[in-house]
Amino acid sequence: MKAPHISFSVRSDAAYFLKATLVGILVGGLATGFHTGLDFLFSRYAAVRLALGPGYMPYVVSMAISAACVTGAFLLIRRVAPEAAGSGIQEIEGAMEDKRPLHWPRVLFAKFFGGLLALGSGLVLGREGPTIHMGAMTAEALSRSQDLSPDDHKGLLAAGAAAGLAAAFNAPLAAILFIVEETRRQFPFGYRTYMAVIIASILSAAITEQLTHIGPPLQVDVGYVPVWSFALLAVLGVFLGALGVFFNRALITVMDLFLKIPSGLRWVPALVIGAVTGLLLNALPAATGGGEKLVHDLILSNYGVITLLVLTLLRFGGVLFSYASGVPGGIFAPMLSIATCAGLAFGVASAEFLPVEDDFRSACAVAAMGGFFAASVRAPLVGVVLVMELTGAYSLIMPVLITCTTASLTAHHMGGRPIYEELLERTLRLAGQPVDGPPDGDKTPVQLGTRES
């Protein structure tokens, strides 16, 4: 009598995993198209600035182009899909709690084209935010073709989000762990949903790698780091923990400040931020863009402490105002660049007073990426694995783990909360919905396999 039930269960699993497979393939292709479009815009924009030659014309033209692009992105988002502003991760978490809408056609359109305008203008935002949100919306589109249980539906949304992150950074394992650590309060853990996340992440990363032929995007060669220096990396983690708490609070503060601007004039900050970005594209390019290429260049260069601290400050402020402007864009990539600047400054300063090898400077940069991420997002394992997949510096697993742990502990004891949890609560409050998240920012423990598949 059990055989028909088993057969039905197998067919049901196969159909669900087929959907996850389609999600991974479609998101991988969509993300590759988005990234290719951005690379084309970056190269053409740079060519225009170069063709204008020296003098004031590159500044004037860049200010006009970037201002127009950012303002256009803001107006597109506001009129088509307001929920497409920012990274969208908090929107996905809210949808998995049945508290946020899922208008997938509008979000896909606004996120794709608004993201091209905003990121192509040179704002300090990352491409991973749009791909994560578009990935979830792609999964939502596929889930409409067949009735799914609430848990299966949420599992497919998470699979789409993971596929978007995997494609953005070519980091499938970090994408899977991101669901485990970041959405553990919303994600319905079970055999089917967990495997769907894994399948979609693998395929999305594979499609992206096949189409772009890239390996670790931030490849870093670092040799042996002595065990005694782990204590210094723990100190670095403490600093990053405090920086992460400050970053989260500053981001919410700037967003709330922009909200006080009259509704009819909220395009003005986008215009001004775009113009300033255009100016910086010529005066100080390192202070613009998501920072993926900047990270690698910084590690290979020999900047002094003061220069690195100035870059840290400029990029820190840049991501705050870029994100608060109300256009699509993520904060992962900018956070990695901020952490690289801060970590290198720490490593250079340490080399001035302590007998450390030159590799320690690079090790600080790599460890800082994970530490700052762990402090802000409060997902230390994701921070470790993401940095390993991005840089390929697997010999630094222990140093990065130490920095991520101390950064996360410091952020917790300073009263910091996960950034996306804060963003979701803010979104719900603005929408007039009740907020019932844990008051201390901690999330419920992960319990794999506690739900029936």
Side-chain angles (χ1 to χ4, degrees), residues 223-441:
Y224 174 74
V225 177
V227 174
W228 69 265
S229 67
F230 289 0
L232 288 175
L233 293 168
V235 173
L236 174 61
V238 172
F239 288 137
L240 292 169
L243 186 64
V245 172
F246 178 66
F247 175 80
N248 291 3
R249 292 175 180 172
L251 183 61
I252 299 296
T253 298
V254 175
M255 292 176 71
D256 289 342
L257 181 65
F258 280 23
L259 198 62
K260 295 180 180 179
I261 298 172
S263 178
L265 295 176
R266 288 183 187 162
W267 57 271
V268 175
L271 179 73
V272 174
I273 291 167
V276 172
T277 300
L279 178 67
L280 289 173
L281 278 170
N282 292 278
L284 190 60
T288 63
E292 296 93 339
K293 295 181 179 179
L294 175 65
V295 168
H296 193 261
D297 293 341
L298 285 172
I299 293 175
L300 295 179
S301 303
N302 291 305
Y303 290 112
V305 174
I306 300 300
T307 301
L308 290 167
L309 291 178
V310 170
L311 277 177
T312 302
L313 181 62
L314 288 173
R315 294 196 64 80
F316 191 98
V319 68
L320 295 183
F321 287 97
S322 295
Y323 193 89
S325 67
V327 299
I331 58 175
F332 282 10
M335 285 170 60
L336 295 176
S337 64
I338 292 169
T340 300
C341 294
L344 284 172
F346 183 88
V348 172
S350 299
E352 291 290 329
F353 303 102
L354 297 170
V356 293
E357 300 292 334
D358 186 60
D359 276 346
F360 182 73
R361 173 182 165 278
S362 300
C364 285
V366 173
M369 291 186 219
F372 189 38
F373 181 93
S376 176
V377 183
R378 299 294 289 281
L381 282 181
V382 178
V384 174
V385 176
L386 179 62
V387 168
M388 293 299 100
E389 290 188 293
L390 282 173
T391 65
Y394 293 99
S395 61
L396 294 180
I397 287 181
M398 182 66 80
V400 174
L401 185 57
I402 290 170
T403 306
C404 287
T405 301
T406 52
S408 187
L409 287 172
T410 300
H412 173 77
H413 287 289
M414 289 184 66
R417 300 183 57 206
I419 183 58
Y420 293 114
E421 188 174 289
E422 291 192 76
L423 288 172
L424 175 58
E425 291 185 8
R426 179 182 182 276
T427 299
L428 294 177
R429 282 196 300 270
L430 293 176
Q433 295 178 262
V435 177
D436 55 5
D440 63 351

Side-chain angles (χ1 to χ4, degrees), residues 190-239:
Y191 167 70
R192 285 158 63 97
T193 55
Y194 194 46
M195 291 303 298
V197 169
I198 295 174
I199 291 169
S201 299
I202 292 173
L203 287 172
S204 179
I207 292 293
T208 303
E209 185 171 354
Q210 176 64 30
L211 294 176
T212 60
H213 303 289
I214 60 172
L218 304 177
Q219 185 79 44
V220 177
D221 295 322
V222 182
Y224 174 74
V225 177
V227 174
W228 69 265
S229 67
F230 289 0
L232 288 175
L233 293 168
V235 173
L236 174 61
V238 172
F239 288 137

Side-chain angles (χ1 to χ4, degrees), residues 6 27 32 50 56 64 73 83 94 102 142 166 182 208 305 373:
I6 294 174
V27 174
T32 302
L50 183 63
Y56 66 89
E83 66 269 31
L102 287 168
L142 288 175
E182 173 58 30
T208 303
V305 174
F373 181 93

Side-chain angles (χ1 to χ4, degrees), residues 30 34 73 76-92 95 100-116 129-141 144 157 327-329:
L30 180 64
F34 184 70
L76 174 65
I77 294 301
R78 186 171 184 176
R79 295 177 182 178
V80 177
E83 66 269 31
S87 68
I89 293 174
Q90 68 274 18
E91 292 288 341
I92 299 168
R100 294 299 296 159
L102 287 168
H103 304 134
W104 68 265
R106 293 189 299 180
V107 171
L108 277 176
F109 178 83
K111 206 80 177 189
F112 189 93
F113 293 103
L116 289 178
T131 58
I132 291 172
H133 203 179
M134 289 191 293
M137 292 303 99
T138 302
E140 171 64 14
R144 298 291 180 93
L157 284 179
V327 299

